[in-house]
Amino acid sequence: MVPDDFDKTAADEKIATIERLLAGHTDRSEEARILDLLRGARPRELDHLLGRLPLDRLFSGIDDRIVGPDNRTALFRLLCEERLSDLSIPTRAALVFALQRGRTGSADEAAIGKILLGTRGAELTALKNAIDDSGDHRDLQQLLYRDLDDDLLRERLLEHFRIAAAPRADLKVLSDIDDTLYPNWKDTRYPRTKEPRPYPGVRAFYNELDLAFSPHDGLGDLTFLTARPGDRAGFGEGITRKHLTARGLPYAKVLTGDFGHLATHDLMADKKYGSFIEYRKLFPEYTFVFCGDSGQGDAIAGARMMEHPGGGMRAVFIHDVVNTNAEGRAAWRAKGVAFNDTYIGHALDAHLAGLLSLAALRRVADSALRDLRDVPFTDPAQREARWTEFRRDLERVNVLLSEGERLSL
């Protein structure tokens, strides 16, 4: 619905005028005209204009001059300071995206800093999530830890995140990919297919955790911490995102690893733990859970996350793909790291930890059973072993359910 405090037709005429002024090389008189149109816009009209203008072209088309007006500085001051309170969260995020593209110069960094520092409370959380949900590798982690060259600004922003965002009850769900989302490394318990199939119940488990404390916010708090190497241009992350989208997780974010941390499980654990520390500084208002597997050092990383000073990690769930013995599982559980064969077992642990309701636990179990029936087993022994694991965990869940709600294979 169009806001009723401005004339949309007149606003669209202003957009067309600004676009004409930006066509080709802009001289100082054209730049001044653009600034006047933006300054004269009423609050919701300005938000409307910026939501439809080509911001990349706006920022590149207005310049500071050695002799003459510093129009680019004036534009940044207008949008990122003087009129920031008039801008919606999506528009503030769009400004950050435009400033972040290409080489982020010192003036761009300062402008981004003013947008973030000028936003507080629930709006700050919404802005950070909007930036993190960019749809490509230019997420909040990329912005703070890679694109910003000003170390003092970075530290100032992280401190602002720590003190200015309102604490939240909902969770950020962190997860590994290989052998956690689908079999693709050491797991020989499931049939290998040309396109890896997600484990039975894993997507339902992610979704229920994501929505557990904020059902009206929708999905979007799932982030994958992977040892897969990233790159400056984001090609590797783009491929990973396409794989995730093809498996029904288009909203997930990705934090990649590097070649130097692929050599050993301890190095993989170091990288994932480091990624958690970075991400926690970006979102200190949240608490977290971590999902991993027993084949790549995830248990080591998860135990360190649980021990991290200041807390923040509520639970660690490890998908056991190497048949860890009972004594080993007990030792890990003593460190707050739960090993399970199935995502029904994970959901039960999450319920017992107060992270999932009984209804959510049942939904995960029901989804896992439906997924299991679709697994294209060709080895009868392999099939029976998995069904035995699911029956065992399902029996533990059914103890908590009323007679009419109980599930069966």
Side-chain angles (χ1 to χ4, degrees):
M1 180 177 180
V2 177
D4 59 5
D5 64 343
F6 73 93
D7 184 333
K8 183 178 181 298
T9 300
D12 289 342
E13 289 176 358
K14 288 184 180 181
I15 292 171
T17 298
I18 293 173
E19 289 178 334
R20 283 196 302 272
L21 292 168
L22 286 171
H25 177 72
T26 52
D27 60 30
R28 64 186 64 191
S29 64
E30 291 170 326
E31 292 174 4
R33 175 62 176 147
I34 292 170
L35 285 169
D36 286 342
L37 287 169
L38 294 175
R39 286 195 187 101
R42 298 173 67 180
R44 290 192 177 180
E45 181 185 28
L46 179 64
D47 194 67
H48 176 83
L49 297 179
L50 295 174
R52 288 155 180 79
L53 283 170
L55 296 179
D56 291 355
R57 181 72 186 99
L58 178 66
F59 290 148
S60 64
I62 296 183
D63 302 315
D64 286 347
R65 291 172 171 78
I66 297 175
V67 177
D70 290 337
N71 287 332
R72 193 165 193 262
T73 297
L75 176 65
F76 284 177
R77 185 184 305 116
L78 174 68
L79 301 184
C80 305
E81 296 181 73
E82 297 168 3
R83 301 291 300 274
L84 182 65
S85 62
D86 294 334
L87 305 183
S88 65
I89 295 303
T91 298
R92 296 184 203 190
L95 292 176
V96 172
F97 292 149
L99 291 164
Q100 188 184 4
R101 292 193 176 275
R103 183 186 178 279
T104 310
S106 59
D108 303 311
E109 291 188 12
I112 290 169
K114 287 181 170 61
I115 294 170
L116 287 165
L117 292 169
T119 309
R120 305 180 65 85
E123 286 192 335
L124 177 59
T125 297
L127 177 56
K128 291 189 298 176
N129 278 320
I131 295 169
D132 212 38
D133 196 25
S134 64
D136 62 22
H137 70 288
R138 299 177 187 88
D139 51 26
L140 191 63
Q141 187 200 40
Q142 174 77 20
L143 174 63
L144 264 288
Y145 296 113
R146 309 291 181 268
D147 292 339
L148 290 186
D149 297 320
D150 187 335
D151 294 337
L152 292 178
L153 176 59
R154 181 184 305 106
E155 291 306 314
R156 189 179 174 197
L157 287 170
L158 292 175
E159 178 64 9
H160 179 65
F161 295 169
R162 187 183 70 82
I163 64 176
R168 298 176 62 90
D170 50 334
L171 299 168
K172 289 282 187 186
V173 182
L174 306 180
S175 179
D176 178 50
I177 296 178
D178 295 318
D179 290 349
T180 303
L181 172 61
Y182 48 64
N184 198 42
W185 196 264
K186 287 194 172 184
D187 192 358
T188 59
R189 304 170 313 137
Y190 283 82
R192 293 296 179 95
T193 55
K194 183 178 180 180
E195 294 295 331
R197 298 169 59 99
Y199 288 111
V202 60
R203 288 172 297 190
F205 183 62
Y206 290 150
N207 291 348
E208 293 294 347
L209 286 171
D210 191 339
L211 298 173
F213 299 100
S214 55
H216 302 298
D217 289 348
L219 298 171
D221 285 326
L222 172 63
T223 298
F224 285 96
L225 308 182
T226 173
R228 299 176 180 186
D231 57 88
R232 184 75 179 182
F235 293 121
E237 185 172 323
I239 292 171
T240 299
R241 284 176 175 271
K242 288 181 180 178
H243 283 308
L244 295 173
T245 297
R247 285 154 186 81
L249 299 168
Y251 50 84
K253 290 81 173 176
V254 180
L255 304 182
T256 54
D258 54 58
F259 286 106
H261 287 85
L262 286 174
T264 69
H265 287 174
D266 285 341
L267 288 174
M268 289 183 187
D270 285 346
K271 182 59 180 177
K272 290 179 182 178
Y273 176 67
S275 293
F276 163 67
I277 297 303
E278 285 190 350
Y279 204 60
R280 175 154 170 68
K281 288 180 180 179
L282 299 178
F283 292 100
E285 65 269 42
Y286 284 86
T287 54
F288 298 80
V289 297
F290 175 58
C291 304
D293 65 85
S294 58
Q296 300 180 41
D298 291 344
I300 299 170
R304 293 175 66 186
M305 293 173 190
M306 291 294 292
E307 294 171 354
H308 179 66
M313 182 57 65
R314 297 280 301 274
V316 173
F317 305 99
I318 297 297
H319 188 221
D320 192 7
V321 300
V322 296
N323 195 28
T324 306
N325 61 34
E327 182 179 356
R329 290 190 179 197
W332 283 113
R333 278 187 178 270
K335 299 177 182 180
V337 179
F339 275 53
N340 284 291
D341 298 307
T342 78
Y343 278 87
I344 295 178
H346 279 348
L348 177 58
D349 278 334
H351 170 68
L352 297 176
L355 301 176
L356 290 183
S357 68
L358 187 58
L361 167 59
R362 189 186 186 282
R363 287 194 294 269
V364 174
D366 186 42
S367 178
L369 295 179
R370 285 187 275 108
D371 291 347
L372 179 64
R373 296 184 189 109
D374 290 336
V375 175
F377 288 108
T378 58
D379 181 343
Q382 189 183 61
R383 178 184 184 277
E384 184 55 34
R386 301 293 77 73
W387 281 53
T388 297
E389 292 166 350
F390 274 78
R391 287 191 190 96
R392 183 187 61 239
D393 286 345
L394 186 60
E395 287 174 3
R396 297 165 59 210
V397 171
N398 278 335
V399 169
L400 303 177
L401 300 175
S402 64
E403 185 173 350
E405 294 180 318
R406 289 172 188 163
L407 300 166
S408 61
L409 272 172

